[in-house]
């Protein structure tokens, strides 16, 4: 449970935890569109048994995600002062950024030593400061391994590894509401051995 008294501006989306708090309108729209898209894909799977099968005859159902490694979004973070700016981290696809409310996305973490993302946090007093904990925080088969905690001071254009390089999996990063250099990290560590950090 997140203590919102300690971090009053904390906006969290924790996939798989059924924890969705304080979502902005663009995030709610993104989630609603994702649910609608999933419903459309499920309905096409049953189209062959439907009397109106001709309506969906040109659409084939296909498996999109779930059990496939890398097909999972692990973190979403938003700039509260500009709802058009969102970051999404993937289990094995790095960090993606949109500056137009999700109309277009671009990768901003491709030059780093890992593409497995556990969490993304935007410092709301200066949204150019973004922290990323690498390594998928929920170990399973095909889980990506991270190489530490990264910080950007220019909205994701450049990154610097700030440590915890051997931690492998960082599930959460929380920032002090007034000082982006006071950081708490929930480190899961290696999946099958004791960690060094």
């Amino acid at each position: 449970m997140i203590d919102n008294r300690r971090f009053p501006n904390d906006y969290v989306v924790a996939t798989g935890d059924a924890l969705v708090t304080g979502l902005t309108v663009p995030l709610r729209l993104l989630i609603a569109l994702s649910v609608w898209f999933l419903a459309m894909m499920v309905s096409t799977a049953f189209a062959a048994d439907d009397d109106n099968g001709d309506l969906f005859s040109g659409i084939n159902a296909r498996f999109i995600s779930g059990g496939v490694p890398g097909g999972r979004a692990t973190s979403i973070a938003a700039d509260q002062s500009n709802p058009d700016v969102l970051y999404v981290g993937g289990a094995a696809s790095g960090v993606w950024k949109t500056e137009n409310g999700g109309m277009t996305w671009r990768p901003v973490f491709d030059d780093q030593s890992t593409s497995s993302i556990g969490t993304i946090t935007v410092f709301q007093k200066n949204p150019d400061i973004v922290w990323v904990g690498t390594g998928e925080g929920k170990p399973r088969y095909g889980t990506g391994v991270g190489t530490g905690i990264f910080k950007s001071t220019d909205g994701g254009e450049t990154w610097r590894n700030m440590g915890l390089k051997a931690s492998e999996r960082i599930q959460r990063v929380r920032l002090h509401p007034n000082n982006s250099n006071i950081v708490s990290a929930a480190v899961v560590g290696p999946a099958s051995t004791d960690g060094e950090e």
Side-chain angles (χ1 to χ4, degrees), residues 102-117:
M103 296 300 291
T104 59
W105 294 84
R106 64 184 175 93
V108 294
F109 205 74
D110 283 359
D111 295 334
Q112 303 315 309
S113 55
T114 185
S115 62
S116 181
I117 306 302

Side-chain angles (χ1 to χ4, degrees), residues 14-15 17 118-119 134-138 169-173 186-188:
T15 58
D17 291 348
T119 187
T134 61
E136 187 178 5
K138 297 183 180 176
R169 291 169 183 82
I170 300 173
Q171 175 77 21
R172 298 278 186 268
V173 171
V187 178
V188 178

Side-chain angles (χ1 to χ4, degrees), residues 7-130:
F7 298 102
N9 295 321
D10 203 12
Y11 279 56
V12 178
V13 173
T15 58
D17 291 348
L19 171 64
V20 180
T21 60
L23 292 178
T24 61
V25 173
L27 285 178
R28 289 181 186 163
L29 179 61
L30 181 65
I31 291 170
L33 287 174
S34 298
V35 170
W36 174 82
F37 181 73
L38 180 61
M40 290 302 296
M41 294 310 297
V42 169
S43 69
T44 61
F46 298 105
D49 297 330
D50 193 332
D51 291 337
N52 297 320
D54 291 340
L55 180 64
F56 297 105
S57 63
I59 302 174
N60 295 319
R62 64 187 174 98
F63 187 70
I64 295 174
S65 183
V68 179
R72 299 174 305 280
T74 55
S75 185
I76 300 173
D79 175 352
Q80 294 173 15
S81 65
N82 182 355
D84 287 337
V85 177
L86 300 168
Y87 298 86
V88 174
S93 60
V95 177
W96 292 76
K97 181 180 181 180
T98 181
E99 296 176 288
N100 56 13
M103 296 300 291
T104 59
W105 294 84
R106 64 184 175 93
V108 294
F109 205 74
D110 283 359
D111 295 334
Q112 303 315 309
S113 55
T114 185
S115 62
S116 181
I117 306 302
T119 187
I120 305 170
T121 302
V122 176
F123 183 59
Q124 297 303 325
K125 290 202 176 207
N126 179 356
D128 284 337
I129 298 174
V130 182

